Amino acid sequence: MRILLVSDYGGLNGGAEIQFFGLRDGLRTRGHETRVLTSTAGSKAGDPAVDYLAFGTTSSFRTFLQSANPWAASAFRQALRDFRPDVVHLNLFLTQLSPLLMRVLQSPEFESIPCVYYAHWQRALCPIGIRMLPGGVACRVPWGLDCYRNGCLPLRDWVPLMLQMRAMRTWFGAVDRVVAISHFVRERLEEASFRNVEVIYGGVNDHGPRPPLAGPPRIGFAGRLVPEKGVDVLLRACHLLHGEFPHLLLDVVGDGPDLSTVRALARELGLADCVTFHGKQSQQDMEQILQHAWVQAIPSVWEEPFGLVAVEAAMRGTAAVVSSAGGLAEIVVHGETGLHATIRPEPLAAALKVFLKDPAVAERAGAAGRRNALARFPLERNVDRFADLYARLLQAKAETA
């Protein structure tokens, strides 16, 4: 098969991009001819090679660009004509490339090409993607005027993003199959009247188990430093634990707009000697840092749609404490491979303490997590399921031709 993979960003900036290029490489290993189209937004030296590029930006102009990106539509049209793919796979397209891609697919020239949309989060339901109100409460209202009334969007962004959401719904008929990255995301999509949604979990490569635990009790965290990831809650939980575990260490891997804020909070809480902020790291360097953690904390205060970092932790054999809301609860088996917790300082500290006070407990949960990850979340399984889906869509198209 010839598969055109399309996504907003070409760098390994997060779980969606890691999954995207893992899928590309896996399909190529299986003999499928696969090409990639992304935007130029955030591109830097060392990013994976792509085949087609469209203009993108991380400036304030992005709001208008993601609503209607004519450069993306032109590059997409050229890629379709040049490559003649059997299948188009849309990974992310609403934060750079825009719904104009679906309009291109609905043209008579390309309407026979099957299209898959892989929903990594709730961006198709929410113009900011996280479906969380400014006060930190999960949002369940449809997009529309409430996005402005509730303070989620200023008026200057609300107008173009409402046009974007309307355009997306108008042209969504170009998509033949919607795939959700978790059952949680599928449920949210189905509540919004998306039909025939399949679930294909994300997956990671097996890099082998970490070494046996040693040294002082240690917590690991990996993710963007933004409010919804809950790093501030984690720091307050560590403050509660520090008296009982005076040698406690916390490794924070990641960067983001909240870096200076969480650094200041660590100093304010007296944790300056406890916390190491490693910044953004390569996948290999991140694994080197986090392999020493007794437990990995994933304290997302929003409803995380999946959480590839939880799968990565499990694959290396690290127990995890995760938010009980969203897709994370589908990855971590409560009481077996880790614990689910309400993300407030006190319950988060209590859950982390279970693993910090006894390395044998952490080892058992980590070993169970690795067995669970090998059975449910290997990258090979993700690739095989997508390849099977593409084949089924092609067969269905052939039967109705």
Side-chain angles (χ1 to χ4, degrees):
M1 286 182 286
R2 295 189 306 277
I3 303 116
L4 179 63
L5 298 171
V6 181
S7 196
D8 283 324
Y9 301 99
L12 300 177
N13 302 310
E17 289 78 26
I18 293 170
Q19 181 68 64
F20 178 71
F21 285 102
L23 175 62
R24 179 197 66 175
D25 296 343
L27 289 169
R28 287 179 176 176
T29 299
R30 285 156 179 76
H32 301 294
E33 190 177 353
T34 308
R35 296 188 188 178
V36 169
L37 183 152
T38 71
S39 82
T40 59
S43 296
K44 60 186 181 303
D47 284 343
V50 302
D51 304 283
Y52 306 99
L53 279 171
F55 174 69
T57 181
T58 55
S59 71
S60 57
F61 181 58
R62 187 185 74 156
T63 302
F64 297 93
L65 195 71
Q66 64 189 349
S67 301
N69 186 335
W71 296 277
S74 177
F76 186 48
R77 189 178 293 109
Q78 183 58 44
L80 293 172
R81 288 172 177 163
D82 173 52
F83 184 40
R84 305 305 302 180
D86 297 310
V87 177
V88 169
H89 176 121
L90 295 178
N91 203 58
L92 302 174
F93 67 98
L94 291 170
T95 63
Q96 290 290 338
L97 301 175
S98 86
L100 288 180
L101 300 188
M102 293 187 293
R103 187 181 183 188
V104 170
L105 277 176
Q106 285 190 325
S107 66
E109 186 178 0
F110 307 120
E111 63 184 356
S112 64
I113 303 173
C115 176
V116 173
Y117 169 51
Y118 195 16
H120 284 267
W121 58 332
Q122 298 187 68
R123 186 59 177 80
L125 311 178
C126 167
I128 62 173
I130 62 174
R131 296 197 81 191
M132 188 172 74
L133 299 174
V137 177
C139 176
R140 286 291 182 269
V141 299
W143 58 267
L145 188 56
D146 283 331
C147 298
Y148 172 68
R149 286 174 173 167
N150 291 330
C152 299
L153 291 171
L155 186 61
R156 68 178 182 276
D157 292 339
W158 181 81
V159 172
L161 288 177
M162 290 303 100
L163 292 174
Q164 183 211 46
M165 299 298 284
R166 289 183 183 278
M168 187 270 297
R169 275 307 185 114
T170 299
W171 297 323
F172 203 79
V175 173
D176 294 275
R177 186 60 52 86
V178 178
V179 179
I181 198 167
S182 66
H183 290 278
F184 166 77
V185 172
R186 181 177 70 177
E187 289 168 7
R188 301 288 84 79
L189 289 168
E190 290 178 342
E191 287 173 359
S193 301
F194 287 80
R195 294 290 175 255
N196 301 317
V197 181
E198 293 192 25
V199 175
I200 297 180
Y201 281 136
V204 300
N205 282 315
D206 178 14
H207 298 294
R210 57 163 175 76
L213 296 178
R218 200 174 200 115
I219 301 170
F221 170 90
R224 269 181 57 76
L225 303 184
V226 290
E228 59 265 25
K229 294 296 185 178
V231 182
D232 59 328
V233 183
L234 175 57
L235 289 171
R236 296 185 189 281
C238 288
H239 175 66
L240 296 176
L241 292 165
H242 203 236
E244 186 172 351
F245 302 96
H247 302 296
L248 177 67
L249 298 174
L250 169 62
D251 291 301
V252 176
V253 179
D255 200 354
D258 274 11
L259 177 58
S260 60
T261 301
V262 294
R263 278 185 182 276
L265 179 59
R267 291 193 298 269
E268 177 188 329
L269 295 173
L271 299 174
D273 295 333
C274 165
V275 184
T276 301
F277 292 95
H278 295 272
K280 185 172 176 149
Q281 300 288 326
S282 68
Q283 193 72 19
Q284 181 177 0
D285 289 341
M286 183 188 75
E287 290 293 326
Q288 287 294 316
I289 293 166
L290 296 180
Q291 68 176 343
H292 303 293
W294 291 27
V295 58
Q296 186 148 332
I298 309 171
S300 298
V301 297
W302 71 306
E303 294 175 318
E304 193 85 48
F306 182 62
L308 204 65
V309 292
V311 179
E312 290 168 343
M315 196 64 83
R316 83 176 68 95
T318 302
V321 171
V322 304
S323 170
S324 56
L328 286 166
E330 296 177 40
I331 299 170
V332 174
V333 182
H334 183 68
E336 181 179 335
T337 71
L339 293 171
H340 303 167
T342 302
I343 304 304
R344 297 194 306 272
E346 293 80 5
L348 179 58
L352 291 168
K353 182 179 175 180
V354 170
F355 303 105
L356 298 174
K357 69 182 181 180
D358 189 345
V361 173
E363 290 282 18
R364 285 196 297 272
R370 179 165 164 76
R371 291 193 296 271
N372 183 52
L374 288 169
R376 299 173 62 207
F377 305 114
L379 181 59
E380 292 80 3
R381 182 174 181 179
N382 174 276
V383 176
D384 286 341
R385 291 198 61 190
F386 270 114
D388 175 70
L389 172 59
Y390 303 152
R392 284 189 280 121
L393 288 176
L394 284 171
Q395 180 66 29
K397 286 278 186 179
E399 290 173 356
T400 57

